[in-house]
Amino acid sequence: MGGVTSSIAAKLAFFPPNPPSYTVVVEANTGGHLSIPEIPATTRREGVEVLKLRTRRGNSIAAVHIKHPKSSAITLLYSHGNAADLGQMFELFVELSNRLRINIMGYDYSGYGQSTGKPTEYNTYADIDAAYKCLQEQYGVKDDQLILYGQSVGSGPTLDLASRLPSLRGVVLHSPILSGMRVLYPVKRTYWFDIYKNIDKIGLVNCPVLGTADEVVDCSHGKQLWELCKQKYEPLWVNGGGHCNLEFYQEFIRHLKKFVLSLGKSQASSTNNSSQKPTMDSNNLNKTSSGGGAADTFDLGPDIPEVSRNSLDSRIEKSKKADKPAKSRISTDGVDRFRKKKGLVW
């Protein structure tokens, strides 16, 4: 019965771009380094690594790590929505890294892009665990240097991991869902066959949480999750913001930057007060869903750094034109409009 339920849930929750928007190739004469040839030349930069990671469920997932040249040790682990892949998200990752001056890792769920396997709830939990393990072992990222970012359906794996890591720096919930069932129906309780039971996990998160909302996933989802947080940070409900374009709004970028800065100040304050948080090592990844190091202060600087012509600024200006509103990065055809009407683009 559980397998049937999981299969039905996957059909409702996951819409990987088909065909994938990118490929992964081995660069010649580089000792086996991987690259994504579809990345535009304007967004290529030093410090980008393309990775293939093995999950505990046997799948190989694609990931990218973007290192900011002036970053502190802070890293943001981004879990995207249900209708995008790394090829479509890459430019956004570069922009966020530039503007926030932090390192970013993004990954594709099993069955998305160049990741093997099929997209399921429990596969996404294994996927984010593999990305987290890579950050620990390959890049030396400690829990108190890590911010988890979950957009829409990505709030599921984000909160699942956050509920098991007591020393995280912070969590960002971008248009999150209370649970899969609650996106489709206004149910008052959690059923056993529901997926991404975020409402039951948010109370286990011990770090500051920033919430945002839009018009596709009802804002009540984000507001209720925020109310259940142990450590609340001033939320942002973007007036007129779309499900897949909140990053196009300057107020969103400013608020996100303010949040990241506040995490640096609070961490420095706790260090000065000699407070200790419990640490988390990779062994705790065994505490999966059924089925700390030294703190670093950092300064993002008061100004938003200069970015390319193809930056968010140019897209923001385009979105202001009444005769031609900007398209979401994942809304590519009429199928997406149908999914939105049915409440299936999370």
Side-chain angles (χ1 to χ4, degrees):
M1 183 66 177
V4 174
T5 303
S6 177
S7 176
I8 295 173
K11 290 181 180 180
L12 292 175
F14 303 109
F15 299 97
N18 187 22
S21 69
Y22 70 100
T23 57
V24 175
V25 300
V26 179
E27 293 182 340
N29 304 318
T30 61
H33 288 183
L34 302 176
S35 68
I36 298 176
E38 291 82 4
I39 293 176
T42 53
T43 58
R44 293 182 184 178
R45 49 176 278 186
E46 296 294 327
V48 174
E49 289 189 85
V50 180
L51 308 160
K52 280 295 189 75
L53 309 176
R54 179 68 60 177
T55 77
R56 68 173 182 272
R57 293 171 70 90
N59 295 322
S60 174
I61 63 169
V64 294
H65 182 270
I66 301 171
K67 180 174 177 59
H68 192 280
K70 296 183 180 179
S71 171
S72 65
I74 300 303
T75 295
L76 185 147
L77 177 55
Y78 196 115
S79 300
H80 61 66
N82 71 342
D85 64 21
L86 280 183
Q88 296 166 321
M89 298 295 297
F90 182 82
E91 184 178 358
L92 172 64
F93 293 159
V94 171
E95 294 289 354
L96 289 178
S97 178
N98 285 341
R99 288 173 177 269
L100 303 179
R101 296 181 186 175
I102 58 177
N103 307 319
I104 289 184
M105 172 174 274
Y107 66 99
D108 258 344
Y109 309 125
S110 296
Y112 277 69
Q114 298 304 315
S115 298
T116 64
K118 295 182 179 180
T120 69
E121 177 189 10
Y122 289 101
N123 273 347
T124 63
Y125 296 156
D127 299 337
I128 196 172
D129 281 355
Y132 167 72
K133 184 177 180 181
C134 174
L135 287 174
Q136 277 193 316
E137 297 179 354
Q138 187 166 331
Y139 297 100
V141 177
K142 298 178 174 59
D143 289 355
D144 62 2
Q145 300 167 332
L146 181 62
I147 300 172
L148 300 184
Y149 187 120
Q151 186 221 351
S152 196
V153 79
S155 61
T158 291
L159 282 177
D160 184 76
L161 179 58
S163 69
R164 296 181 275 122
L165 300 179
S167 304
L168 280 175
R169 195 61 161 271
V171 170
V172 178
L173 299 178
H174 171 162
S175 307
I177 62 175
L178 287 168
S179 73
M181 279 289 294
R182 287 174 172 86
V183 174
L184 302 175
Y185 305 102
V187 296
K188 301 298 183 182
R189 53 168 292 189
T190 299
Y191 294 90
W192 66 268
F193 53 82
D194 203 351
I195 64 172
Y196 295 127
K197 304 177 184 73
N198 293 339
I199 190 172
D200 297 333
K201 296 178 182 178
I202 187 67
L204 301 175
V205 178
N206 294 315
C207 62
V209 177
L210 168 64
T212 72
D214 63 72
E215 89 291 351
V216 174
V217 174
D218 192 277
C219 65
S220 62
H221 288 250
K223 290 180 178 179
Q224 189 169 344
L225 286 174
W226 180 79
E227 290 169 356
L228 294 171
C229 292
K230 289 182 179 178
Q231 295 190 46
K232 300 177 177 65
Y233 185 82
E234 178 186 0
L236 178 66
W237 318 125
V238 179
N239 185 25
H243 188 60
C244 305
N245 67 355
L246 289 186
E247 305 95 337
F248 294 179
Y249 287 76
Q250 289 283 11
E251 60 185 302
F252 175 83
I253 296 298
R254 284 194 296 266
H255 201 72
L256 184 57
K257 183 174 181 179
K258 180 181 175 183
F259 175 66
V260 175
L261 275 170
S262 73
L263 296 179
K265 293 176 181 177
S266 63
Q267 190 72 17
S269 175
S270 64
T271 301
N272 292 336
N273 292 330
S274 300
S275 63
Q276 296 292 327
K277 287 185 177 181
T279 59
M280 180 79 175
D281 58 35
S282 58
N283 291 330
N284 281 322
L285 286 178
N286 292 328
K287 298 180 181 179
T288 55
S289 300
S290 56
D296 297 288
T297 60
F298 61 106
D299 182 10
L300 300 184
D303 300 319
I304 294 177
E306 293 295 326
V307 289
S308 70
R309 292 181 301 172
N310 295 322
S311 68
L312 292 178
D313 288 330
S314 62
R315 283 176 281 166
I316 291 169
E317 289 303 315
K318 292 178 182 178
S319 70
K320 293 178 180 178
K321 297 180 180 180
D323 59 335
K324 189 178 181 181
K327 294 178 67 176
S328 153
R329 66 174 178 276
I330 68 172
S331 295
T332 56
D333 52 35
V335 175
D336 288 315
R337 289 191 292 273
F338 171 79
R339 292 168 182 164
K340 287 183 179 181
K341 289 180 181 178
K342 298 298 183 182
L344 300 178
V345 179
W346 305 343

